[in-house]
Amino acid sequence: MLERVYLGDWAYNAGIIGFIEIMLDGEDIASQNIITIGSNYIEFDRNNLKGFSDKFFKKAYQRYPRTDELLDLGNKLLQRLENNDFDKNLKQEISNFKKRVEGFSKLKQLVDSYKLTLPRNFNNVDAEQYISQIIDLLNANKQELIEDNVKTYLKNTSSICGDRSFLNRNFKGELKKKFFDDFEGPIVNQTNRQDKNHDCIFCGLRPAKKDALLDTGLVSFLGANKDNKNFFWNFKPQLPICEICELIYFCIFAGLTEFRIGQTKKFYFVDRNTSVLELYQTNKLFMEMMAKEENILKEKGILNFINDYLLTKFKEESKFRLTNNIMFIEIDLTSSVAPKLYGFSITKQKAEFINSNYDLLKKTTGSYIRIKENVLYPFSEFMQKFINNTLSSQFLSFLEYQYLNSQKPNSKIKTNLSPYRLQIYNMLIYKYLKSVKRGEDLMDEKWLWKMYFFGQELKKKFLESKAENKVTSLAYRLISALRIGDINTFMNLIIRTYMSYSMEVPALFVSCIKNEENFCALGYSFVNGLLGVEIEKDGEIENSEEVEENV
């Protein structure tokens, strides 16, 4: 009998992705024949659910392989003991191993029942005997311990599942068998009793399962219980659910990307309602990126990482198209906080902009501004303003000021921004304002770099005349004029400065004086060049940024 499941809300979609992950068990989605992938649905035969219990427990155990980790650690310690490496450090590691054993409640029960102990002042022989006994105990009871690990992960570690089926704290029997009896067996054999009065409130395709409801016992952060009955008609908090949808919701954990920062465990899901295949591929990509860039996420936080993800995702698109309804969900239930949702909607025009300027955007990632205990990531701010249509040259002015302030002696502002990176931001903002927001033609990019080098040339004059202290002062005044669009003040400063050194004012300024956006982009290019030259210790003036290749 075929069953069809359509995309729904983000939690249901996460369950669909989790269900696919469990069912495929490592098979490639493109070559498998277990599940039919439709545009906005999946379809499968009930008979294909045979063996689902084994796959379910396998997938959950992969998230929390506590038993195998202890076995591996025990074998490594035993090997070192056999090599006569018993010293103070190894003794401490063995003590830590004992603590891990005692923290594994199911294993500790077995240890206590066999009266296995490690003396306080243990020696090499004591340690070897204790670890060998623990390893034997782990191997002899491995399946039971693995099932207990699964229960611990789903019930406590992830805090996503409630207390349905084998997760009920009062259940003491065989865990996998309980799951089989509650889910796989009745669905495959079609023995579940049906609610004759209600259809499933979620899919509407099947009759509800008798006495089955979506409550916090199924998903800890969803559902309705007796304590919130005031929100329901006739004070009956009942959300009837069918056996298939119940199983889908139970698979949510496998569709989420897990990430740990310190002692905090969080879960993420990327929701796209365009198609099942895109939803699946998007989350697979997100999982891969989270695994590769773990340290980056720890430093930047999820919002900035999301922007990196979007940048990579759009780069991979072979065709420009409208990309709507991308939703990032962050779940941190350890602090009893409801899931956080970050929503993004990218137009075709913006997707084209990201693709065509991908290399420039990539150069801006990784920058930061630290003000005391607070850290700002310019790329994250840039992308959010870009997405929200609030990006303007004012953002560039802000970055310029922060950079200048960071150069002051004993400044509380620390940043790895450089004049070169500021120039990249200048180019991106100019292109966005002209092509995306205004739909106008861009001036030649080489003009921006040419003006950048004009700024460097003026800086050299300052340095040659021992007037380097004037650089920062002039930069502040030029940025102030650009920030308010005061072209006259800007040009007066430029003309007076150039005349004082008997230099010719760059004609580029004059040619763009009637176009404010072009003029501002050139003006910021000049300022960035003015700031982009440093004096080396040997006294020679050298360009600190390798930008020649951009001209």
Side-chain angles (χ1 to χ4, degrees):
M1 180 178 178
L2 294 177
E3 297 292 350
R4 182 171 289 193
V5 177
Y6 288 89
L7 293 176
D9 61 77
W10 73 262
Y12 194 74
N13 291 347
I16 290 175
I17 299 304
F19 178 79
I20 294 174
E21 278 285 291
I22 293 169
M23 286 288 284
L24 297 190
D25 192 25
E27 286 193 47
D28 182 67
I29 194 170
S31 58
Q32 57 85 30
N33 58 3
I34 301 171
I35 301 174
T36 299
I37 307 296
S39 58
N40 65 337
Y41 67 88
I42 61 172
E43 191 173 70
F44 57 92
D45 193 303
R46 282 179 178 243
N47 289 325
N48 286 343
L49 289 175
K50 292 178 180 177
F52 186 83
S53 300
D54 291 331
K55 293 179 180 179
F56 182 93
F57 271 72
K58 178 182 178 181
K59 177 62 68 173
Y61 183 66
Q62 288 173 351
R63 297 287 185 97
Y64 190 61
R66 193 178 189 183
T67 299
D68 279 301
E69 287 176 353
L70 271 177
L71 275 170
D72 291 342
L73 178 58
N75 284 318
K76 288 177 181 177
L77 293 174
L78 202 58
Q79 183 64 47
R80 291 172 62 184
L81 286 169
E82 291 173 354
N83 293 337
N84 296 316
D85 292 337
F86 191 71
D87 56 15
K88 183 178 180 180
N89 291 332
L90 181 56
K91 191 170 184 178
Q92 182 60 52
E93 291 181 41
I94 293 170
S95 296
N96 292 338
F97 176 78
K98 181 175 181 289
K99 290 179 181 178
R100 290 187 64 176
V101 170
E102 293 174 344
F104 190 164
S105 59
K106 187 70 174 180
L107 178 59
K108 188 176 186 304
Q109 292 174 10
L110 293 171
V111 170
D112 291 343
S113 67
Y114 284 93
K115 299 180 180 180
L116 305 181
T117 59
L118 180 67
R120 180 183 294 273
N121 297 315
F122 61 88
N123 56 30
N124 190 323
V125 176
D126 295 329
E128 190 170 340
Q129 180 181 2
Y130 174 77
I131 294 174
S132 296
Q133 290 173 329
I134 296 299
I135 290 174
D136 291 341
L137 203 60
L138 286 166
N139 284 320
N141 300 274
K142 190 171 184 179
Q143 185 57 42
E144 182 183 358
L145 293 171
I146 285 176
E147 292 182 14
D148 185 75
N149 293 157
V150 170
K151 181 175 182 177
T152 300
Y153 174 75
L154 294 177
K155 176 64 180 173
N156 301 317
T157 308
S158 73
S159 301
I160 293 171
C161 296
D163 58 2
R164 189 72 57 86
S165 187
F166 68 93
L167 298 179
N168 191 297
R169 68 178 63 186
N170 297 320
F171 180 75
K172 304 298 181 182
E174 296 180 37
L175 304 182
K176 189 190 293 185
K177 183 178 183 303
K178 175 64 173 173
F179 180 84
F180 177 89
D181 292 341
D182 288 344
F183 292 98
E184 179 185 334
I187 293 176
V188 172
N189 299 318
Q190 301 183 48
T191 57
N192 274 322
R193 296 171 59 195
Q194 296 181 348
D195 187 332
K196 297 180 180 180
N197 300 317
H198 300 97
D199 287 334
C200 176
I201 197 172
F202 300 99
C203 68
L205 301 174
R206 292 169 284 270
K209 176 182 171 182
K210 185 71 173 179
D211 299 325
L213 303 172
L214 176 61
D215 54 25
T216 52
L218 184 60
V219 183
S220 63
F221 53 84
L222 291 176
N225 293 331
K226 293 180 180 179
D227 55 0
N228 54 16
K229 63 182 180 181
N230 290 341
F231 295 97
F232 291 85
W233 174 256
N234 206 24
F235 301 102
K236 292 183 178 180
Q238 297 181 351
L239 300 176
I241 188 171
C242 69
E243 57 190 355
I244 300 299
C245 290
E246 183 183 36
L247 181 62
I248 293 296
Y249 272 116
F250 215 75
C251 296
I252 285 179
F253 81 92
L256 303 178
T257 297
E258 181 180 323
F259 191 81
R260 182 188 293 274
I261 301 178
Q263 297 300 313
T264 302
K265 183 183 287 288
K266 295 185 179 182
F267 298 85
Y268 300 102
F269 181 69
V270 189
D271 192 26
R272 296 185 69 177
N273 58 10
T274 49
S275 74
V276 173
L277 187 59
E278 284 197 12
L279 180 68
Y280 180 82
Q281 292 173 338
T282 297
N283 279 278
K284 291 291 282 187
L285 172 63
F286 190 60
M287 288 180 186
E288 292 170 4
M289 291 186 66
M290 292 284 265
K292 290 179 182 178
E293 303 194 31
E294 182 173 326
N295 292 328
I296 292 178
L297 180 58
K298 286 180 180 178
E299 179 185 342
K300 294 183 178 181
I302 182 61
L303 278 178
N304 206 36
F305 185 82
I306 286 172
N307 294 324
D308 288 346
Y309 163 79
L310 286 173
L311 188 56
T312 300
K313 181 60 183 172
F314 289 130
K315 177 64 177 176
E316 291 189 349
E317 296 285 349
S318 58
K319 296 181 180 179
F320 300 133
R321 58 183 172 181
L322 188 66
T323 307
N324 284 326
N325 302 323
I326 296 181
M327 189 72 71
F328 285 79
I329 293 88
E330 178 184 84
I331 304 172
D332 176 13
L333 299 174
T334 57
S335 56
S336 300
V337 177
K340 298 178 182 178
L341 281 72
Y342 305 96
F344 298 91
S345 180
I346 307 296
T347 64
K348 177 181 178 180
Q349 193 177 23
K350 287 183 179 179
E352 290 175 347
F353 178 86
I354 290 178
N355 271 276
S356 61
N357 293 286
Y358 178 79
D359 291 335
L360 286 179
L361 286 163
K362 193 173 181 180
K363 291 178 181 179
T364 64
T365 60
S367 56
Y368 67 86
I369 300 172
R370 182 175 286 109
I371 306 174
K372 294 183 179 180
E373 300 300 322
N374 299 316
V375 181
L376 172 74
Y377 298 101
F379 177 68
S380 175
E381 294 293 317
F382 175 91
M383 288 298 290
Q384 290 181 63
K385 291 179 182 294
F386 171 79
I387 290 167
N388 296 327
N389 298 316
T390 58
L391 184 62
S392 70
S393 57
Q394 296 297 312
F395 177 64
L396 181 59
S397 297
F398 168 77
L399 296 182
E400 299 276 358
Y401 279 130
Q402 296 304 314
Y403 171 76
L404 284 172
N405 290 333
S406 71
Q407 303 303 301
K408 294 179 179 179
N410 302 318
S411 175
K412 295 181 180 179
I413 299 175
K414 306 296 181 184
T415 181
N416 62 350
L417 280 174
S418 65
Y420 175 66
R421 271 185 171 169
L422 290 172
Q423 177 66 356
I424 299 300
Y425 276 114
N426 178 34
M427 295 171 66
L428 288 168
I429 291 172
Y430 167 71
K431 289 182 175 183
Y432 166 77
L433 293 175
K434 289 286 283 187
S435 62
V436 177
K437 207 163 186 179
R438 305 274 190 268
E440 299 175 359
D441 294 333
L442 298 169
M443 63 178 164
D444 194 328
E445 189 174 304
K446 290 183 178 180
W447 290 12
L448 296 174
W449 285 113
K450 193 170 184 178
M451 191 60 76
Y452 183 93
F453 289 115
F454 280 138
Q456 289 186 336
E457 289 176 0
L458 181 60
K459 177 71 173 288
K460 289 181 182 180
K461 289 293 183 181
F462 280 130
L463 298 177
E464 289 170 358
S465 61
K466 308 297 182 182
E468 59 267 26
N469 60 313
K470 293 183 179 180
V471 172
T472 301
S473 175
L474 177 60
Y476 267 116
R477 286 183 287 168
L478 291 175
I479 293 171
S480 295
L482 290 171
R483 184 176 62 84
I484 61 176
D486 190 346
I487 295 176
N488 290 333
T489 298
F490 184 94
M491 285 304 300
N492 285 336
L493 289 168
I494 290 293
I495 292 170
R496 288 205 308 268
T497 303
Y498 268 80
M499 287 181 64
S500 67
Y501 286 98
S502 300
M503 296 173 66
E504 184 178 347
V505 176
L508 275 176
F509 280 128
V510 180
S511 65
C512 296
I513 203 166
K514 292 183 179 180
N515 188 309
E516 184 175 336
E517 284 173 354
N518 285 359
F519 187 89
C520 282
L522 290 170
Y524 280 115
S525 293
F526 182 86
V527 172
N528 292 330
L530 186 66
L531 298 171
V533 178
E534 298 177 353
I535 298 179
E536 300 296 328
K537 290 183 179 180
D538 59 5
E540 293 181 3
I541 299 173
E542 181 176 327
N543 177 12
S544 62
E545 307 290 351
E546 296 179 0
V547 297
E548 297 286 351
E549 62 187 33
N550 294 284
V551 180

